[in-house]
Amino acid sequence: MELTNIKKVLIANRGEIAVRVIRACRDLGIATVAVYSDADRASLHVRYADEAVRIGAPPARESYLRIDAIIDAARKTGADAVHPGYGFLSEREDFAQACADAGLIFIGPTPNAIATMGDKQMARQTVKQAGVPVVPGTEPGLRDEELYAVAAQIGFPLMVKAAAGGGGKGMRAVRRAEDLPEMLATARREAESAFGDSTVYLEKLVEGARHIEFQILADAHGNCIHLGERECSIQRRHQKLVEEAPSVFMDADLRRRMGEAAIAAARAVGYVNAGTIEYLVDKDRNFYFLEMNTRLQVEHPVTEIVTGVDLVKEQIRIARGRRMGITESVIEPKGWALECRINAEDPYNNFSPSVGKITTLITPSGPGVRVDGGVYSGYEITPYYDSMIAKLICWGDDRPQAILRMRSALEEFIIMGVKHNIPFHLNLLSSFSFIAGKFDTKFVEDRFSMTTYEQPPSDAELETAAIAATLFAHRKRQLAGQVVARNERDTSNWKWLSRWERIHR
Ligand code: MV4
């Protein structure tokens, strides 16, 4: 790959990630172009970019998903590269190709790598051939009768997955052989209508597993490294809520083996740029490749904190055809980082989305605190896009310090005017199971509640004396009813804040 100078980047996204990419560009002395829908005229990414182009109406398919409008905006403004962010067009082969066809550098992998990893069955096959462990399952191209036979060999329970799915879409568990024919038929119909592709495959169901993913960086000169893992098991309905790096479950040997497999998986598709290998890890520390995400991820900051690498700057450097700035083939994580996704949704009401004007926003700061946000006081949250409004990232020398800092930052964080999930995070970070690191992907849905508290664990189960002491104090406040009262302060009976609001509006 020849060296290309990127002078102006169009960011084909919105919200906090668009702001994040703009900041990396400023660091590199690169000009920026924002695109926006009518709902985002007053958004931060529009204010922060050097130029901004309107691309259409609020619904994503009329703006942020319009390849033609985005390429057109790049042409008009003279941008020479496009950063897709995450979501929207970031994992669309046709978008990466359209950029290339228009002479624009796509800051991401090749259309071919996107396509291979986008077909989840092909991805599975490709990495398996490269020696990466996958869950026992079916080979591509089987008819239903053949699937029944292989299902019997693999054994139940099983998972039916759509080849065109991913991220939990088009997936269902089958517990009994007699349910398989009907489940296959339903899964095919759903996959056809959702993705226009009825291909499905089977995998053995792995239960009680953790979701651990590895960050990959690869340049066009054949360098490919991993930057360690992120623990992403704290999620609800396939929406991650808290991520951390490293994972409490990891040891040096497992990290080395999973990291090497992640590099092998990326190399198997000739991967270039930043990507993530998702694994399931069972209780016995067996790990299985699930999917590769061919984009920058929401949770990339926790990796940045523990490795000291600016992933967006590396993405741009790699897209320019340079060698990546990191020379070590293995990076040892230093310290501990947590990320809480701050969403405009009501944790007391089944996490239903909340829209309206943010009347007051006070963000936390201080040592070990980073807020990646896209909103401000007076910002109007609309129903058109997802509900994540900011990411709170906290870190420390070790996990207890990171947790304690996160708790204090969450308490400093004031959002008024819309419902938000800060009370959820505060309760989670006071959960003994969470603090002890004992959770899997089912934890939030099955065993964690906003209204009931766990029994205290035995002293032996608590990780450190410092955490035990803080928890004990917190538990006493919980029992006295003060914590719930504090969590509910954003219902606008918090006196000094409403006075503050009157003064500042
Ligand atoms: C699985 C699984 C158990 N067994 N596959 C969900 C998202 C997609 N990347 C794959 N997913 C899963 N695949 C087998 N064979 C359980 C999940 C899963 C999951 C994975 C990661 C994070 C959260 C999850 C929540 C439910 C199910």
Side-chain angles (χ1 to χ4, degrees):
M1 197 187 201
E2 64 202 89
L3 290 185
T4 331
N5 200 14
I6 295 177
K7 297 201 193 79
K8 193 186 272 192
V9 170
L10 179 142
I11 299 103
N13 215 301
R14 62 179 299 282
E16 69 85 19
I17 195 61
V19 170
R20 167 73 188 88
V21 174
I22 290 168
R23 288 179 175 141
C25 290
R26 283 187 196 145
D27 253 24
L28 292 163
I30 296 173
T32 51
V33 180
V35 292
Y36 64 92
S37 75
D38 292 331
D40 278 336
R41 180 69 196 86
S43 288
L44 278 189
H45 73 285
V46 175
R47 297 184 194 201
Y48 288 173
D50 298 308
E51 295 168 77
V53 181
R54 178 190 174 273
I55 49 167
R61 60 181 66 253
E62 294 172 43
S63 48
Y64 298 105
L65 291 172
R66 276 186 59 198
I67 295 177
D68 60 334
I70 290 167
I71 301 282
D72 210 45
R75 257 207 212 98
K76 260 193 254 162
T77 52
D80 38 28
V82 174
H83 195 300
Y86 52 70
F88 296 124
L89 297 169
S90 62
E91 292 184 282
R92 288 261 303 266
E93 172 197 11
D94 52 347
F95 182 56
Q97 189 59 55
C99 289
D101 293 345
L104 297 162
I105 296 168
F106 180 76
I107 303 173
T110 60
N112 181 59
I114 295 174
T116 307
M117 290 304 186
D119 181 329
K120 302 305 164 186
Q121 193 178 26
M122 204 195 296
R124 189 186 127 83
Q125 186 79 357
T126 306
V127 307
K128 186 181 169 197
Q129 276 159 11
V132 178
V134 296
V135 186
T138 54
E139 304 300 312
L142 299 187
R143 286 173 293 111
D144 276 9
E145 297 69 42
E146 296 167 309
L147 288 179
Y148 301 153
V150 184
Q153 281 166 25
I154 301 169
F156 288 80
L158 283 174
M159 197 75 119
V160 183
K161 295 187 175 185
K169 280 176 286 182
M171 207 179 76
R172 50 168 27 89
V174 188
R175 301 207 168 259
R176 307 177 312 170
E178 56 265 44
D179 297 336
L180 186 59
E182 201 187 313
M183 286 292 208
L184 276 179
T186 323
R188 280 195 201 287
R189 265 200 312 278
E190 279 181 11
E192 179 62 44
S193 77
F195 314 114
D197 176 358
S198 64
T199 313
V200 295
Y201 63 105
L202 302 176
E203 277 183 359
K204 178 125 191 95
L205 178 69
V206 182
E207 289 184 280
R210 287 173 178 259
H211 174 40
I212 299 179
E213 59 186 29
F214 272 69
Q215 177 68 51
I216 290 292
L217 269 184
D219 67 24
H221 300 271
N223 302 300
C224 183
I225 66 166
H226 77 79
L227 291 96
E229 78 281 3
R230 292 185 286 260
E231 165 70 66
C232 302
S233 300
I234 300 294
Q235 54 87 46
R236 186 182 168 276
R237 300 191 179 169
H238 303 295
Q239 290 297 320
K240 293 168 189 163
L241 289 161
V242 176
E243 303 96 341
E244 48 185 309
S247 163
V248 276
F249 203 63
M250 199 56 61
D251 59 56
D253 179 60
L254 185 59
R255 179 177 295 124
R256 184 186 53 74
R257 289 186 293 123
M258 290 178 72
E260 280 173 8
I263 292 170
R267 284 199 187 280
V269 290
Y271 200 83
V272 172
N273 216 280
T276 298
I277 305 292
E278 273 187 21
Y279 293 110
L280 278 179
V281 187
D282 71 16
K283 290 186 200 71
D284 304 319
R285 294 176 189 268
N286 299 305
F287 65 90
Y288 307 98
F289 170 90
L290 275 183
E291 297 176 11
M292 179 170 195
N293 300 316
T294 55
R295 59 164 195 275
L296 183 72
Q297 289 196 257
V298 175
E299 59 271 26
H300 75 276
V302 294
T303 299
E304 297 190 315
I305 300 297
V306 299
T307 61
V309 174
D310 184 321
L311 287 167
V312 183
K313 279 163 76 173
E314 287 304 324
Q315 285 193 293
I316 296 169
R317 193 186 169 99
I318 288 166
R320 279 172 154 171
R322 307 260 155 87
R323 286 170 188 282
M324 65 174 88
I326 313 121
T327 47
E328 299 94 325
S329 57
V330 177
I331 293 178
E332 279 301 311
K334 191 171 172 293
W336 209 282
L338 295 169
E339 173 180 278
C340 287
R341 297 192 186 189
I342 310 300
N343 298 339
E345 48 190 39
D346 183 1
Y348 293 103
N349 185 20
N350 206 27
F351 295 85
S352 63
S354 178
V355 297
K357 186 183 276 234
I358 297 180
T359 52
T360 299
L361 181 74
I362 304 177
T363 51
S365 57
V369 179
R370 163 174 164 184
V371 180
D372 279 19
V375 298
Y376 51 85
S377 288
Y379 180 88
E380 185 86 30
I381 296 172
T382 64
Y384 300 108
Y385 314 110
D386 80 22
S387 62
M388 196 182 75
I389 51 176
K391 305 185 303 203
L392 174 57
I393 303 111
C394 292
W395 64 94
D397 296 336
D398 52 22
R399 190 167 184 268
Q401 191 185 20
I403 291 175
L404 292 174
R405 275 191 177 151
M406 181 64 88
R407 287 225 322 239
S408 103
L410 285 164
E411 297 200 24
E412 286 182 20
F413 214 141
I414 306 297
I415 303 169
M416 293 175 75
V418 294
K419 298 277 200 321
H420 57 74
N421 64 350
I422 289 175
F424 166 88
H425 286 304
L426 276 166
N427 276 353
L428 181 78
L429 267 67
S430 308
S431 146
F432 299 113
S433 303
F434 179 80
I435 288 169
K438 288 183 184 162
F439 50 80
D440 56 36
T441 58
K442 293 274 193 306
F443 179 67
V444 173
E445 277 156 58
D446 292 2
R447 298 194 299 283
F448 181 78
S449 156
M450 287 298 289
T451 46
T452 58
Y453 293 107
E454 311 162 275
Q455 287 305 303
S458 68
D459 288 352
E461 282 181 301
L462 288 169
E463 263 191 322
T464 68
I467 275 243
T470 317
L471 267 177
F472 184 67
H474 188 76
R475 174 115 187 121
K476 280 208 326 212
R477 283 194 289 156
Q478 271 181 351
L479 294 173
Q482 291 166 20
V483 170
V484 169
R486 191 214 43 227
N487 286 350
E488 285 173 357
R489 72 187 170 195
D490 55 330
T491 52
S492 95
N493 57 0
W494 200 30
K495 291 208 182 63
W496 81 262
L497 242 184
S498 35
R499 200 171 77 231
W500 186 94
E501 240 197 319
R502 277 202 302 278
I503 296 165
H504 290 270
R505 254 194 324 201

